[in-house]
């Protein structure tokens, strides 16, 4: 009984102290600076944050899909496997079968001179020992599943022959080809028209529920996050400054950055009010301050904030809610 | 696809016509009377006039062109003034000899270039890239007739392991697949391969680096493909550009090996052109240039067709 329980609580993704640095001759970019989180099977986590905060790098680090000059440290476990210490071969076995990725720009994410169908069957046959005909049938089923009209013809098409929405559907089909238990989606709708965005979003949510995948979804759009996420993580300067259940974060954000982010987004409660931009500019990732990276832009900044990076604090009385701010529930009073 | 094919093939007709106009115009652009080469300067005026009529030089240019084109289309390129033999039979001897050199040089240059370029592009910015790029730059910068002479000095004069000139033993001018002839092939082919090697290295390096920077390569890794499988995608994507450059290089080698053929006294079209120019042998010059230009046109057609067979985006 107790054993069953622990296995049910076994997270499918476990990230401890993830740090990613890009080292080149003339600069060192601290893109990710200590990210911690876990993801349960079937859970949807949204990562929110402004441009350059390290969302894509975090996502790619989960599959070790980073260029050579990236130095990754910490611990990343996916489906019980230690991603950062796997051999190349084992890593390749994991990618696409257990953890798959949907890219932001479907237009450039397919090989332009192979048919989309071939790229899907290629993936299936890479991970499973099936015949060509069987893989072909699977690809067809996938195309039907992501609601691509005339799927047989579309399988024989090249990426440039498909519309933007269709390409993203094909990309989703490709990602789902081997029934991954974790799906990473890096702003999968940003490159699309507004109406198509909603369709793709609905499709993703439907597929997620049907297949019970865990999903990490990166977005700029608070509305999207509210719509699909079980939990939201807010990222700033390569750290999660706040992570917790969607409702809780939206209704009572703790971190001043989250508050700013939410009030700078038009939603029903703030309709009619002026959109409030967060004053100041994003931090320089090559030279982060010693203390809280948001300090220089924060209205409530306290001398203690400049001394060291605020530790991750579990919010009292709320399950599974972490915030990195001295002011939140912490030793300091709001000024 | 089929309409593209037909259209592309039909394009060849106006191009070929343009080529014939240029080749024909060459005679009349060149300074001096086309007859002056054949006729001694002190020949009586009547005789010159007679010859002029005999060659049709008295008619208006368009008519001359039309008659010339008519003959060309039936495969008659005229008679070499200096050698007194059919231009076509001269070409029949020389073209295969040049083809052997050009194809050999291109293949060697292509193999080395694709290898160096691929490695350089894959390991961009590392020492191995710098080495390959250095070789490529040296390759395109060295004057190849000079390289030919240096090779002759080293391998023929100093070491005496390879023949310096000619195509085979005893001034043979027809190709035979035997070791003696092969030995004669070595130095000219190395000499010829150097420029295509350099150019193909640079092209392949740039192409591979450009492809590796594209997002789809990340996507291929993300779905778990092994390195050699990803490499297959990269190679296929690099192929159209590389083939195009290789086709053009082969075209250049067909026509552009005058210097190398002269250095090695290789009895090909380069030597033919060389002597035609010095002897002001207009029909031979015209015929040779025409045939080489046609090779170039059809090579380009072939390259286009192969490219469009590989890359669906080319077919519009
Ligand atoms: N290959 C790389 N080399 C050097 N720096 C990089 C590299 N990739 C990303 N970075 C840097 O890492 C930081 C985080 O980048 P990342 O792409 O994760 O941002 P993001 O949060 O996804 O932004 P966006 O919302 O614009 O996609 C940025 O400062 C970026 O310049
Ligand atoms: Mg990003």
């Amino acid at each position: 009984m107790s054993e069953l329980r622990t296995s049910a609580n076994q997270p499918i993704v476990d990230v401890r102290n993830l740090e990613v640095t890009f080292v080149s001759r003339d600069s060192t970019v601290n893109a990710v600076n200590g990210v911690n989180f876990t993801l349960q099977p079937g859970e949807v986590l949204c990562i929110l944050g402004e441009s350059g905060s390290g969302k894509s790098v975090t996502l790619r680090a989960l599959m070790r899909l980073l260029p050579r000059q990236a130095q990754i440290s910490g611990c990343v476990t996916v489906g019980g496997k230690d991603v950062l210490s796997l051999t190349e071969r084992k890593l390749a076995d994991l990618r696409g079968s257990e953890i798959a990725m949907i890219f932001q720009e479907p237009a450039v994410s397919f090989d332009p001179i192979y048919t989309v169908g071939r790229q899907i069957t290629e993936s299936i046959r890479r991970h499973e020992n099936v015949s060509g005909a069987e893989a072909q049938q699977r690809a067809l089923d996938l195309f039907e599943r992501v609601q691509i009209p005339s799927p047989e013809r579309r399988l024989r098409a090249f990426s440039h022959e498909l519309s933007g929405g269709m390409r993203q559907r094909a990309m989703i089909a490709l990602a789902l080809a081997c029934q991954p238990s974790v799906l990473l989606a890096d702003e999968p709708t940003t490159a699309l028209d507004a109406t198509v965005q909603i369709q793709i979003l609905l499709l993703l949510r439907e597929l997620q529920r049907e297949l019970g995948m865990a999903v990490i979804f990166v977005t700029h759009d608070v509305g999207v996050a509210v719509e699909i996420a079980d939990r939201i993580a807010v990222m700033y300067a390569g750290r999660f400054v706040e992570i917790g259940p969607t409702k809780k974060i939206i209704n009572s954000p703790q971190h001043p950055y989250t508050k700013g982010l939410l009030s700078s987004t038009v939603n029903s409660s703030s309709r009619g009010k002026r959109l409030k931009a967060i004053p100041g500019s994003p931090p320089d990732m090559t030279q982060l301050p010693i203390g809280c990276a948001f300090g220089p832009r924060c209205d409530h900044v306290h001398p203690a904030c400049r001394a060291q990076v605020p530790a991750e604090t579990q919010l009292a009385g709320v399950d599974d809610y972490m915030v990195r701010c001295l002011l939140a529930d912490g030793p300091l009073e709001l000024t | 696809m089929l309409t593209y094919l037909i259209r592309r093939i039909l394009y060849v007709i106006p191009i070929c016509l343009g080529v014939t106009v240029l080749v024909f115009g060459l005679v009349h652009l060149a300074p001096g009377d086309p007859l002056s080469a054949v006729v001694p300067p002190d020949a009586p005026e009547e005789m010159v006039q007679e010859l002029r009529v005999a060659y049709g030089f008295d008619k208006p240019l368009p008519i001359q062109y039309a008659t010339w084109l008519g003959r060309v289309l039936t495969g008659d390129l005229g008679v070499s003034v200096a050698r007194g033999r059919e231009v076509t039979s001269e070409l029949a001897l020389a073209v295969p000899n040049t083809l052997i050199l050009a194809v050999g040089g291109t293949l060697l240059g292509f193999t080395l270039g694709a290898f160096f370029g691929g490695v350089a592009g894959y390991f961009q910015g590392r020492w191995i890239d710098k080495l390959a790029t250095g070789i490529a730059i040296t390759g395109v910068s060295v004057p190849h007739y000079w390289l030919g002479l240096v090779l002759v000095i080293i391998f023929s004069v100093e070491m005496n392991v390879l023949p310096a000139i000619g195509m085979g033993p005893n001034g043979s001018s027809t190709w035979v697949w035997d070791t003696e002839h092969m030995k004669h092939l070595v130095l000219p082919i190395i000499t010829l391969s150097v420029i295509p090697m350099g150019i193909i290295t640079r092209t392949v390096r740039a192409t591979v680096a450009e492809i590796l920077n594209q997002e789809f390569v990340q996507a291929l890794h993300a779905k778990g493909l092994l390195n050699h499988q990803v490499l297959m995608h990269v190679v296929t994507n690099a192929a159209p550009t590389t083939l195009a450059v290789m086709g053009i290089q082969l075209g250049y080698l067909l026509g552009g090996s005058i210097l190398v053929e002269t250095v090695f006294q290789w009895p090909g079209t380069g030597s033919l052109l060389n002597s035609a120019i010095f002897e002001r042998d207009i029909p031979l010059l015209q015929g040779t240039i025409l045939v080489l230009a046609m090779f170039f046109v059809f090579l380009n057609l072939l390259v286009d067709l192969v490219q469009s067979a590989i890359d669906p985006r080319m077919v519009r």
Side-chain angles (χ1 to χ4, degrees):
Chain A
M1 182 68 195
S2 71
E3 219 184 303
L4 239 176
R5 238 188 126 97
T6 48
S7 79
N9 284 336
Q10 194 75 44
I12 187 85
V13 177
D14 190 347
V15 176
R16 292 287 133 222
N17 255 325
L18 179 66
E19 293 187 9
V20 181
T21 341
F22 293 99
V23 181
S24 69
R25 212 181 306 155
D26 30 50
S27 74
T28 302
V29 181
N30 301 296
V32 180
N33 306 296
V35 161
N36 293 292
F37 71 93
T38 59
L39 192 69
Q40 297 301 325
E43 193 184 15
V44 180
L45 171 72
C46 262
I47 304 181
L48 274 176
E50 58 192 1
S51 203
S53 54
K55 306 182 297 291
S56 299
V57 175
T58 305
L59 219 54
R60 281 167 188 243
L62 297 189
M63 313 175 89
R64 230 167 87 193
L65 197 65
L66 289 167
R68 253 192 302 274
Q69 66 269 27
Q71 297 179 354
I72 317 177
S73 69
C75 183
V76 175
T77 317
V78 173
K81 297 195 183 74
D82 180 358
V83 173
L84 300 187
S85 62
L86 286 179
T87 60
E88 283 228 358
R89 175 66 204 229
K90 288 265 165 58
L91 180 65
D93 289 343
L94 186 81
R95 288 172 176 170
S97 70
E98 214 151 323
I99 180 166
M101 173 112 100
I102 303 174
F103 291 82
Q104 178 168 350
E105 300 256 4
V108 294
S109 303
F110 279 105
D111 184 332
I113 66 177
Y114 284 59
T115 62
V116 279
R118 174 141 173 227
Q119 295 182 59
I120 293 175
T121 50
E122 184 184 36
S123 186
I124 297 173
R125 301 195 68 187
R126 160 69 182 86
H127 293 290
E128 288 167 44
N129 193 9
V130 297
S131 71
E134 213 170 313
Q136 192 67 30
Q137 185 56 44
R138 286 258 299 269
L140 188 62
D141 295 344
L142 283 160
F143 262 37
E144 276 163 3
R145 189 137 207 190
V146 297
Q147 297 150 25
I148 290 180
S150 14
E152 257 159 278
R153 187 158 61 82
R154 271 9 185 298
L155 279 174
R156 288 193 303 270
F158 295 94
S159 152
H160 71 277
E161 296 168 340
L162 302 179
S163 69
M166 204 103 77
R167 266 188 222 127
Q168 197 56 298
R169 285 173 194 271
M171 186 96 246
I172 294 172
L174 173 61
L176 300 183
C178 299
Q179 292 123 8
S181 39
V182 183
L183 182 65
L184 308 177
D186 191 355
E187 307 192 38
T189 60
T190 324
L192 305 173
D193 295 341
T195 46
V196 184
Q197 283 192 6
I198 296 168
Q199 292 169 6
I200 296 289
L201 218 57
L202 291 176
L203 173 69
L204 270 174
R205 191 169 67 179
E206 184 189 317
L207 288 168
Q208 185 272 329
R209 291 195 178 149
E210 235 173 84
L211 305 172
M213 295 172 292
V215 175
I216 305 181
F217 196 104
V218 166
T219 176
H220 284 122
D221 190 335
V222 178
V224 168
V226 172
E227 199 61 41
I228 61 167
D230 298 317
R231 278 195 302 154
I232 291 181
V234 179
M235 194 158 194
Y236 189 81
R239 298 185 187 103
F240 283 3
V241 292
E242 188 161 7
I243 177 170
T246 304
K247 255 211 188 110
K248 190 86 181 70
I249 281 213
I250 297 297
N251 293 335
S252 56
Q254 300 293 314
H255 198 284
Y257 175 65
T258 316
K259 290 177 189 169
L261 199 67
L262 291 179
S263 67
S264 72
T265 314
V266 192
N267 58 32
S268 52
S269 62
S270 64
R271 194 169 286 155
K273 277 198 250 166
R274 260 184 70 97
L275 209 74
K276 190 177 141 211
I278 304 174
S281 51
D284 177 359
M285 304 289 268
T286 59
Q287 279 174 312
L288 287 175
I290 300 164
C292 174
F294 189 62
R297 293 167 82 181
C298 183
D299 290 339
H300 313 289
V301 66
H302 190 278
C305 301
R306 298 208 176 93
Q308 62 179 54
V309 179
E312 300 192 337
T313 324
Q314 187 66 35
L315 203 62
V318 190
D319 261 0
D320 206 19
Y321 197 113
M322 182 285 292
V323 57
R324 267 183 192 265
C325 180
L326 300 179
L327 302 170
D329 209 32
L332 300 174
E333 288 300 308
L334 272 178
T335 45
Chain B
M1 184 73 195
L2 195 66
T3 51
Y4 170 81
L5 268 182
I6 293 171
R7 212 174 37 185
R8 183 60 188 83
I9 290 171
L10 287 182
Y11 274 153
V12 167
I13 296 173
I15 295 174
C16 286
L17 278 178
V19 167
T20 59
V21 171
L22 280 180
V23 170
F24 177 77
L26 200 77
V27 192
H28 299 275
L29 281 177
D33 192 314
L35 280 181
S36 61
V38 224
V39 186
D42 54 350
E45 185 57 31
E46 289 155 41
M47 191 184 140
V48 174
Q49 195 55 40
E50 228 169 81
L51 272 172
R52 191 164 281 145
V53 174
Y55 277 96
F57 287 142
D58 58 330
K59 303 224 172 60
L61 277 184
I63 296 193
Q64 287 188 38
Y65 170 69
T67 17
W68 176 75
L69 185 64
R71 284 196 288 119
V72 166
L73 286 178
T74 57
D76 177 8
L77 292 176
V79 176
S80 159
V81 179
R83 307 177 182 206
R85 298 207 297 146
E86 291 273 337
V87 170
T88 40
S89 52
E90 288 291 329
L91 284 172
L93 286 176
V95 167
N97 294 347
T98 290
L99 267 180
I100 289 172
L101 272 199
V103 171
T106 314
L107 282 185
L108 181 62
F110 176 77
T111 314
L112 292 175
F115 177 73
F116 288 145
V119 167
Y122 202 83
F123 298 103
Q124 213 187 346
R126 303 212 225 161
W127 67 267
I128 197 163
D129 169 25
K130 288 177 185 134
L131 180 70
T133 312
I135 294 175
I137 292 175
T138 316
V140 288
S141 321
V142 166
H144 57 353
Y145 53 89
W146 175 83
L147 177 69
L149 290 174
V150 170
L151 288 177
V152 166
I153 291 171
I154 297 175
F155 291 99
S156 311
V157 180
E158 296 293 330
M159 296 169 65
N160 198 20
V161 283
L162 288 169
I165 52 165
M167 196 169 100
N170 314 321
S172 152
S173 67
T174 39
W175 182 254
V176 188
W177 290 104
D178 63 16
T179 34
E180 265 313 307
H181 282 77
M182 295 292 235
K183 270 190 183 170
H184 283 78
L185 206 53
V186 176
L187 292 184
I189 279 192
I190 292 179
T191 309
L192 273 183
S193 72
V194 168
I195 287 181
M197 185 271 291
I199 289 175
I200 289 167
T201 302
R202 288 202 301 194
T203 311
V204 170
R205 177 186 183 273
T207 313
V208 165
E210 198 250 344
I211 292 167
L212 286 177
N213 277 331
Q214 287 183 38
E215 185 83 350
F216 81 80
V217 178
Q218 296 293 306
L220 293 174
H221 282 294
K223 66 182 190 182
L225 291 197
L226 303 173
N227 283 336
H228 72 266
Q229 292 171 313
V230 176
L231 192 67
M232 260 328 281
H233 280 263
V234 175
V235 167
T236 340
N237 273 274
T241 316
T242 313
L243 281 178
V245 175
M246 182 176 120
I248 291 169
Q249 288 307 309
L250 180 58
Y252 283 152
L253 289 199
L254 280 176
S257 47
I258 297 186
L259 290 172
V260 172
E261 286 190 6
T262 308
V263 167
F264 290 101
Q265 295 187 20
W266 190 273
T269 51
S271 300
L272 213 55
L273 275 177
N274 191 24
S275 52
I277 290 168
F278 279 109
E279 290 158 359
R280 285 191 64 84
D281 191 340
I282 304 276
L284 185 60
L285 193 60
Q286 265 184 337
T288 313
I289 294 179
L290 184 67
V291 167
L292 292 179
M294 289 302 160
F295 261 117
F296 208 87
V297 169
F298 282 99
L299 215 57
N300 271 312
L301 173 67
L302 194 68
V303 164
D304 269 16
L305 296 185
V306 174
Q307 267 189 314
S308 61
I310 301 177
D311 188 341
R313 290 168 302 177
M314 299 248 177
V315 184
R316 271 184 288 267

